[in-house]
Amino acid sequence: MEFTRTLGRSGIQVSALGFGCWAIGGEWQDDSGQPLGWGKVDDDESVRAIRRALDLGVTFFDTADVYGTGHSELILGRALGPRRDDVVVATKWGNLFDPRTRTASGTDDSPEHLRRALTASLRRLGTDHVDLYQLHIADADPERAAVLRDACEELVAEGLIRAYAWSTDDPARAAVFAEGPHCAAVQHALNILDDAPEMLLLCEKAGLASVNRSPLAMGLLTGKHRGRRPLEAGDIRSRPPAWLRGFGDGSGADPQWLARVDALRDVLTSGGRSLAQGALAWLWARSPRTVPIPGFRSVAQAEENAGALAKGPLSERQMTEVEHILQRRAAGAA
């Protein structure tokens, strides 16, 4: 049975699982040398992984112009090719970067940059429109954001985008964009270890989709991080910024976070699921509006993530068991 969800008020149907294309952008950094990518990538493998995901029923791909300073968009466009119209493409704008040095260099919240950025993204993606266009400045001033929201409405009218969203973890900011008729979603952090009840409540009230970044807690919920194993130098988790939880001082996964993952392992892997598939299943059970977008860098990861679609959400009993293990009040539906 096909497992789909709708992007808020837009009516745009997507697979209940999307694929996040941050990791396939390869290595890049900020102007202080802080790594912002996930380490080295094999572009041919990335293309194979995207095409395998398509074959397995994934129809939603999320990227950003700044991921790999344009490289992620180029790879996604190359992989989709003539199948572009079979999928829903989301990308983001707001960051400035230099692809020659693979360096991010600040932000620009002007309507003029919005149009420039969209033109460049369309070129890299090899398409004439973006399905979901997202503001990528999480802490942008709400009054400035209202101007950008109105500019997005103009882009919808021109047929350059179908809908728009804000990538932010602040429900008050997301509510500013939600006032626009063609706002369809908010992209925000959400996973079994880090719930976001206020944002899910906003999505319910405003009729938005909840696009979930970090659905596998930056890899902690894949089961592949054990103990204090150091990460490669080009991986953002090797020098984690303040917002990146679960990797402490950069010497590997935080033991306290790993202990919580271990406590959840039995319930999440029941029913033949892998640990990652169980974590995705929790998100689907958490709210009918969630669309998790796990990252990937290989065909094997694409197959594992896409395999979660066939198993669907956790049961109500399993959800209760999770809350008991984590000693939270029952999550229930938002």
Side-chain angles (χ1 to χ4, degrees), residues 18 44 60 69 83 91 119 127 162 182 196 205 210 236 263 270 285 305 325 331:
D44 290 338
F60 182 48
T69 59
R83 299 182 69 177
T91 192
T119 298
T127 186
R162 295 173 69 191
H182 291 90
K205 287 181 175 179
S210 162
I236 189 172
S270 59
N305 291 342
I325 291 168

Side-chain angles (χ1 to χ4, degrees), residues 239-258:
R239 287 174 56 191
W243 57 263
L244 203 169
R245 304 173 67 194
F247 287 87
D249 58 7
S251 61
D254 189 308
Q256 290 181 309
W257 283 70
L258 287 177

Side-chain angles (χ1 to χ4, degrees), residues 11-30:
I12 299 171
Q13 291 279 312
V14 297
S15 52
L17 180 76
F19 268 35
C21 299
W22 177 9
I24 65 169
E27 293 181 287
W28 53 295
Q29 62 187 3
D30 68 15

Side-chain angles (χ1 to χ4, degrees), residues 1-4 57 59:
M1 183 179 70
E2 193 177 18
F3 185 16
T4 62
T59 63

Side-chain angles (χ1 to χ4, degrees), residues 65 73 89-94 113-119 121 130-135 152 155 161-166 177:
D65 60 359
E73 288 184 331
V89 172
T91 192
K92 310 179 194 75
W93 93 95
H113 177 69
L114 163 58
R115 282 191 173 268
R116 287 194 301 269
L118 177 58
T119 298
S121 286
V130 166
D131 299 292
L132 184 68
Y133 204 36
Q134 302 160 103
L135 175 59
C152 283
L155 296 173
I161 66 174
R162 295 173 69 191
Y164 57 87
W166 193 342
F177 257 39

